[in-house]
Amino acid sequence: MQDVIKQLCEEYTDLSEDEMQVVRMMAGTLQPLANLEAADIFIDCPCKEGDAIVVAEAKPEEVPSSYKNSVVGMLAKAENEPAVARTFNLGIATKYMKARTQEDNYTIQSVEPIKYNSRVIGVLIREKRITEETKETEDRYAAVEIPLNHMINESEWLTESIDEGLILVDDSGVVTFRNMYAKELFQSLGYVEDILGQQYKNICLNPYDGKSDLEEVLSEVRISNHYLRIRQIKLEKENIRLAVIIRDITWNREQEKNLVLKSVAIEEVHHRVKNNLQTIASLLRMQARRTENEETKHLLNESINRILSISATHQLLAHSGKDEVELKEVLHTVRNNLAQTYLTSAQKINLKLEGDDLTVNSDIATSVALAVNELVQNSIRYAFPGEKVGNVCIRIERGKIYSTITVKDDGAGFNIGNIKTGSLGLKIVESMVEDKLHGKLKIRSGTHGTKASFDFMNKSADLISFSK
């Protein structure tokens, strides 16, 4: 047994040699204890990564054991053995809690901490079958008197209507009152016996040193799969020293965990979409470099920038964990992509982004990015024929009812009546503005340049929310 304990402790725990020696010495006393108590006796040690490992056991010789086989080397999970988890967490004894064994049976556990230099290095566990344990204690609380019957009892509508457990502890440290909520809560935690009449130190759920009830304490603990908020209040009234209020906040914490998981999943989706879009853009870029046809190269570059405009939104969403982005950041990425594709060192076209910032959802951001991409592409390509100097400005204006995006250049201008009705770029802008943004596209052009603007409605938070 000694070699097995050493092997298990070295593999699963962070116990020192001295601590392992203490555990081995305790293991030598298990068989007499098992015979004396007519119960299964175990030693569990804490694993490095949570839960516990069974390192030693002894089965009673005069009565049947609750186990068919040895469980040494098996894990004791917190959700199956809440008494063990409680003693490890609080460093105090735990009495009469239900446990689920490694063989999928149910027993009653009482647990004592094994300490070395104030550190809990293991627990000594006594287990009996539920039927035996309940027979021994079925009449234990029949004569318990509640000193506050004149003020509070189980039939009082007030104490039974609240969604919190209420426990009262007298001057001797005994639980003299608990409402039904508290009774059922402790049963769900694995306590087989009613907590009424028990010593509070045996059932308290937060760290207890015998002095912690001298002042008010508010704590949050996790017991098995339950998250509990515990308020401990000093009373010292009519023989009652302490009131304990327990609220089960498991649902709240589970919802928070679900939100975190959903947020991580959303981030991962956007990250993959961004990577896939950038991979497609890279493949098209390789194809554009290989072709000798200028028109084909131009069309491929247009497609690349459209893909990168969509990717800009997903790139930001991949880091935010929610379906909202700063529009100015998206357009900043679009501007950089266009400058990298179309502007050469010989050109002195100043491409600016200015104005307000908006927090928008992914649909709004993507639609605006695509529309701006097409409008800026047109300005760079057509506004400065034969010239290598000019200005193109993207401006964002935030309004109470409408928000407006403007793309303005100081180029040569053009005759609006000559716009090709079959232009793919114009079709994309019109589709984004009218169908997705529920806005209106306006184009004005003259000898001083071209101004294209569109607005999107701010009728509901679903369309857009403004950042403060």
Side-chain angles (χ1 to χ4, degrees):
M1 180 186 292
Q2 302 294 324
D3 292 339
V4 172
I5 294 173
K6 180 177 176 62
Q7 178 185 347
L8 290 172
C9 287
E10 288 177 344
E11 182 176 355
Y12 291 98
T13 78
D14 60 357
L15 299 185
S16 67
E17 285 291 337
D18 288 343
E19 290 168 337
M20 283 188 269
Q21 181 60 30
V22 172
V23 172
R24 288 199 292 267
M25 289 174 60
M26 288 290 298
T29 68
L30 295 192
Q31 192 59 58
L33 281 175
N35 293 339
L36 180 65
E37 295 286 340
D40 293 290
I41 307 292
F42 302 92
I43 294 179
D44 289 7
C45 291
C47 293
K48 300 173 187 175
E49 300 177 356
D51 294 326
I53 184 79
V54 183
V55 299
E57 67 180 2
K59 298 177 180 179
E61 295 175 343
E62 301 296 329
V63 299
S65 168
S66 299
Y67 292 81
K68 295 180 180 178
N69 303 301
S70 171
V71 294
V72 171
M74 294 186 180
L75 291 177
K77 294 187 173 295
E79 59 266 29
N80 293 334
E81 301 186 35
V84 173
R86 177 181 182 271
T87 296
F88 274 128
N89 289 335
L90 304 182
I92 59 178
T94 303
K95 306 291 185 181
Y96 310 118
M97 286 188 74
K98 185 167 67 174
R100 186 175 182 177
T101 72
Q102 289 83 353
E103 295 180 346
D104 206 22
N105 296 315
Y106 289 91
T107 61
I108 301 298
Q109 285 185 337
S110 292
V111 184
E112 289 285 341
I114 301 172
K115 295 184 179 181
Y116 183 77
N117 290 335
S118 301
R119 180 192 179 195
V120 179
I121 62 173
V123 291
L124 182 67
I125 305 167
R126 168 187 178 272
E127 286 190 16
K128 274 195 171 186
R129 294 179 180 179
I130 289 180
T131 53
E132 297 174 7
E133 193 67 35
T134 51
K135 284 178 181 178
E136 292 177 6
T137 58
E138 60 184 357
D139 297 323
R140 177 175 172 180
Y141 304 106
V144 172
E145 294 183 0
I146 303 175
L148 296 186
N149 274 340
H150 63 283
M151 183 179 81
I152 194 170
N153 58 65
E154 283 187 311
S155 63
E156 285 284 344
W157 65 269
L158 180 60
T159 59
E160 299 308 323
S161 297
I162 59 175
D163 290 331
E164 292 176 316
L166 175 61
I167 297 172
L168 299 179
V169 182
D170 68 11
D171 289 334
S172 62
V174 174
V175 175
T176 58
F177 174 83
R178 50 92 190 107
N179 64 358
M180 289 305 296
Y181 187 103
K183 179 181 178 181
E184 292 170 0
L185 174 62
F186 274 83
Q187 286 176 343
S188 69
L189 295 177
Y191 285 83
V192 177
E193 297 181 7
D194 193 339
I195 62 172
L196 187 64
Q198 291 201 45
Q199 284 286 330
Y200 178 63
K201 67 180 182 180
N202 290 335
I203 61 98
C204 68
L205 301 175
N206 51 312
Y208 185 85
D209 57 8
K211 300 178 182 179
S212 60
D213 58 353
L214 297 180
E215 55 187 37
E216 183 167 333
V217 176
L218 177 63
S219 60
E220 184 175 317
V221 299
R222 181 181 179 183
I223 307 293
S224 185
N225 294 323
H226 293 260
Y227 293 86
L228 305 172
R229 182 174 291 131
I230 304 170
R231 182 180 296 276
Q232 198 170 272
I233 305 169
K234 181 182 177 183
L235 288 182
E236 293 186 348
K237 291 183 180 180
E238 300 192 37
N239 244 359
I240 298 300
R241 181 176 69 185
L242 188 66
V244 183
I245 301 171
I246 306 172
R247 177 180 288 273
D248 190 341
I249 57 171
T250 304
W251 186 87
N252 307 69
R253 293 294 173 261
E254 290 299 326
Q255 293 306 305
E256 290 173 5
K257 287 167 59 178
N258 289 338
L259 287 174
V260 171
L261 291 174
K262 287 179 181 178
S263 176
V264 171
I266 289 171
E267 287 183 28
E268 180 63 21
V269 168
H270 286 302
H271 183 72
R272 292 188 182 187
V273 170
K274 177 208 71 173
N275 287 346
N276 290 337
L277 290 172
Q278 291 183 345
T279 299
I280 295 169
S282 297
L283 293 173
L284 292 176
R285 194 177 286 115
M286 291 172 60
Q287 188 65 46
R289 292 191 187 119
R290 290 174 177 268
T291 184
E292 304 242 341
N293 187 297
E294 289 301 318
E295 181 63 21
T296 301
K297 186 177 292 188
H298 164 68
L299 293 174
L300 287 172
N301 282 331
E302 282 189 339
S303 297
I304 290 169
N305 279 302
R306 287 165 186 153
I307 292 169
L308 292 179
S309 297
I310 300 172
S311 173
T313 300
H314 290 283
Q315 184 172 355
L316 294 174
L317 289 170
H319 299 290
S320 69
K322 54 185 180 180
D323 193 40
E324 290 183 336
V325 292
E326 300 297 323
L327 185 57
K328 203 168 188 178
E329 284 190 68
V330 175
L331 295 185
H332 181 75
T333 303
V334 172
R335 170 201 170 279
N336 289 345
N337 290 336
L338 289 166
Q340 185 177 359
T341 302
Y342 291 108
L343 301 184
T344 64
S345 58
Q347 291 175 304
K348 293 185 179 179
I349 296 176
N350 183 22
L351 186 53
K352 297 189 297 182
L353 171 63
E354 61 185 31
D356 304 318
D357 203 357
L358 307 174
T359 301
V360 298
N361 63 37
S362 59
D363 288 338
I364 294 286
T366 301
S367 300
V368 170
L370 281 169
V372 168
N373 177 76
E374 298 300 323
L375 293 172
V376 175
Q377 274 188 155
N378 286 341
S379 290
I380 293 174
R381 288 188 61 204
Y382 302 118
F384 312 103
E387 298 288 338
K388 296 182 179 179
V389 178
N391 296 287
V392 180
C393 178
I394 308 166
R395 182 170 182 78
I396 309 170
E397 294 179 79
R398 179 176 61 193
K400 292 183 179 180
I401 301 176
Y402 297 93
S403 292
T404 304
I405 304 291
T406 302
V407 177
K408 183 179 180 181
D409 64 60
D410 57 1
F414 66 97
N415 186 346
I416 297 177
N418 293 333
I419 296 178
K420 296 179 182 179
T421 56
S423 169
L424 177 60
L426 182 60
K427 286 290 184 185
I428 289 175
V429 176
E430 289 176 342
S431 175
M432 293 298 105
V433 172
E434 295 175 8
D435 298 339
K436 298 291 187 181
L437 301 174
H438 309 285
K440 192 172 184 180
L441 175 66
K442 299 176 183 178
I443 301 177
R444 295 178 182 177
S445 188
T447 56
H448 296 294
T450 300
K451 177 181 177 181
S453 64
F454 59 88
D455 47 23
F456 39 99
M457 299 175 65
N458 185 33
K459 287 185 177 179
S460 71
D462 291 333
L463 289 175
I464 177 172
S465 60
F466 295 126
S467 59
K468 296 181 180 178

